[in-house]
Amino acid sequence: MARSPRLDAPLGRGTPLGRGTTRQRPTSRDRFGRFTEWVARAMGTPTFLVLLSLFCVLWIIWNTMTPENWRFDAAANGFTALTLMLSLQASYAAPLILLAQNRQDDRDRVQIEQDRQRAERNLADTEYLAREIVALRMSLEERNSQTVTRDVLRQELKALLAELEDTDAKAASGPAPTAPSREDHS
């Protein structure tokens, strides 16, 4: 007998429906993307700049101060090997930094879309709540206009009492003279 899926856990987490699903290892593309981001982050630090400057200074000192037979890059040629190494480093650094920026742009695009959807939901919820508040106010106003308060009831009763007293006073003063009708003359 198959168990029904648990509603308190997402699919793939202890549910029979998620038995076959396992967490996949990151693809090589994702691994390379994370590597490019690491390189971009590392190259953008003051530590990297200090180390690169220290490396160049040591290179130049070594190739100018050491004995002639220990030097591997001649100062007379303008430190050609150092120039080539720095050019190689720059030629790899630029595309790696661009790849990292593209990945960040993709994440930002997804985040912006999620923010836009969240803002739309919030706006729809706010409009719904505003309509509900207006409906509640209208029903309360309608209910209040139909509700008779003590003061309104007292005023109505006083007006009716005054009207009855007027009619009683007129009736007590006697019948009002009436004009003779045609039947009386015939």
Side-chain angles (χ1 to χ4, degrees):
M1 183 166 113
R3 289 177 26 197
S4 62
R6 293 179 48 189
L7 298 178
D8 62 340
L11 293 178
R13 303 275 179 167
T15 63
L17 297 176
R19 271 191 212 138
T21 60
T22 59
R23 185 174 173 154
Q24 295 180 352
R25 295 186 63 175
T27 62
S28 62
R29 181 177 180 195
D30 188 47
R31 196 174 301 136
F32 183 72
R34 284 185 283 137
F35 170 73
T36 62
E37 288 175 344
W38 176 81
V39 168
R41 253 186 254 108
M43 287 185 170
T45 62
T47 305
F48 175 79
L49 294 174
V50 168
L51 291 175
L52 184 62
S53 300
L54 185 62
F55 173 78
C56 291
V57 167
L58 290 175
W59 183 289
I60 291 170
I61 289 172
W62 181 270
N63 287 298
T64 55
M65 302 292 187
T66 58
E68 219 30 67
N69 57 350
W70 287 10
R71 297 179 188 170
F72 50 87
D73 193 13
N77 294 338
F79 301 109
T80 307
L82 177 63
T83 305
L84 288 174
M85 285 186 61
L86 292 176
S87 296
L88 181 67
Q89 181 266 338
S91 68
Y92 276 100
L96 290 175
I97 290 170
L98 289 174
L99 285 171
Q101 285 178 340
N102 289 340
R103 281 176 53 95
Q104 185 61 45
D105 288 344
D106 292 342
R107 280 194 299 269
D108 290 345
R109 206 172 294 117
V110 168
Q111 185 65 39
I112 288 169
E113 178 63 23
Q114 289 173 347
D115 289 347
R116 186 189 61 77
Q117 290 172 352
R118 191 175 304 115
E120 285 178 356
R121 283 192 308 269
N122 287 343
L123 179 64
D125 290 346
T126 303
E127 288 175 350
Y128 170 76
L129 290 173
R131 285 192 303 270
E132 287 297 313
I133 289 172
V134 168
L136 284 172
R137 282 184 180 169
M138 289 173 63
S139 70
L140 282 174
E141 286 175 3
E142 184 178 303
R143 194 174 290 160
N144 284 340
S145 68
Q146 293 174 356
T147 304
V148 177
T149 63
R150 287 182 186 174
D151 294 334
V152 172
L153 185 59
R154 283 183 185 144
Q155 289 174 355
E156 288 292 321
L157 288 174
K158 284 180 184 178
L160 286 173
L161 185 60
E163 188 178 316
L164 281 174
E165 288 174 352
D166 285 347
T167 56
D168 284 344
K170 286 181 185 176
S173 64
T178 57
S181 65
R182 287 187 183 170
E183 292 175 5
D184 292 338
H185 295 306
S186 39

